[in-house]
Amino acid sequence: MQACPLLSTLLLSAMLCLPAHAEDELIVADQKGQQKALMEAAGTDQNLPYHIRWVEFEAAAPLLQALGAGAVDTGIAGDGPFLFAWGAGLHIKAAWVIPPRGAGQATAIVVPEGSPISAPDQLSGKRIATGRGSIGHLLLLRLLATGAIPAPAPHIVFLLPAQAKAALDTKRVDAWSTWEPYVSLAVISGHGHAIADAAGLMPNNSFFVANTEALAQKKRLLADFYRRITAAYDWGTKHQVAYAHILARQTGLPDDVAIAVAQKLIAVPAPVTPDVIRAEDGVVEAYRSAGFIARTGDLSDAFEQNLTH
């Protein structure tokens, strides 16, 4: 049950046929409409001196492919998929960090309702779905490295979220290592159970990532957008329910799922600092030790530290 790259390839090909980026337009990649909903709820998308064109993605991997190809200017991704893509040679940099909230619970391994599996040490030899290079993949690598999942190693099945959910629902896989909002969808709507999360295992940062061309040509727009998204997140920390209602309306998520997502994800973004970069060393090493990336060099090259407000 291999993940078919056709959907991502077709989407990326279509995006590459878009007109050249206008200097007064910022093309922003989103996942499940969360950033767009947050800015609308906070009102920080008002009186823009440029136009934002939102492009929706199911997961970070195709989003980062589009960023690396120059089809979008910036977008949000977890540290795992971002560094996985950077390690593959994509011309992208993390420009703004969203620190973890919820003690790492936004990334978790879930099992379906009625599963006899109740702890990660019972995943040995099981079939686990996740996205290749995703934060779910990173969580599995960390659990394997720490011995929380003992030998024999599970069989990892690389799938996009919609495919992974279907595989879990039909019990073609035993578990799904995923992230929000899919964790809450599986647990709240699907009556599944989270048996492990990322608390204490990885930095759990997310980043707003930009391609190097946009950083060179649209730095002023990017700085303004990150300022506005920071204000939106700050608003969201104080108005989680209001944000959740707009998120549910825009994305079709059930209200209780949207509220759970807001509680786990709303933290205040900030510029990247040397401390943030140092914390990400372990992420790169986890992928490198598992043979998934070979890129070497200074990790600071993956980050933009000179983007001012």
Side-chain angles (χ1 to χ4, degrees), residues 115-184:
S115 171
I117 299 171
S118 60
D121 61 2
Q122 297 173 318
L123 292 172
S124 301
K126 303 298 185 183
R127 294 172 62 83
I128 307 176
T130 197
R132 185 180 181 88
S134 68
I135 49 176
H137 187 191
L138 178 62
L139 174 56
L140 283 176
L141 293 179
R142 293 294 297 132
L143 289 170
L144 287 166
T146 60
I149 302 177
H155 176 61
I156 300 177
V157 185
F158 292 123
L159 298 171
L160 288 170
Q163 298 169 314
K165 181 181 183 305
L168 188 73
D169 290 345
T170 56
K171 299 186 178 178
R172 288 178 291 158
V173 296
D174 300 291
W176 180 17
S177 190
T178 189
W179 55 92
E180 291 294 358
Y182 304 111
V183 172
S184 291

Side-chain angles (χ1 to χ4, degrees), residues 94-121:
W96 221 249
V97 61
I98 306 173
R101 184 182 173 89
Q105 296 175 353
T107 306
I109 298 178
V110 295
V111 296
E113 184 179 18
S115 171
I117 299 171
S118 60
D121 61 2

Side-chain angles (χ1 to χ4, degrees), residues 68-95:
V72 296
D73 296 315
T74 189
I76 189 170
D79 53 0
F82 158 62
L83 288 168
F84 189 91
W86 174 82
L90 295 188
H91 297 295
I92 55 177
K93 290 189 175 188

Side-chain angles (χ1 to χ4, degrees), residues 17 29 46 54 57 60 90 100 111 120 132 177 199 217 232 261 280 293:
C17 294
Q46 300 299 308
W54 295 95
F57 289 87
L90 295 188
V111 296
R132 185 180 181 88
S177 190
Q217 298 182 3
V261 170
E280 297 297 336
I293 65 173

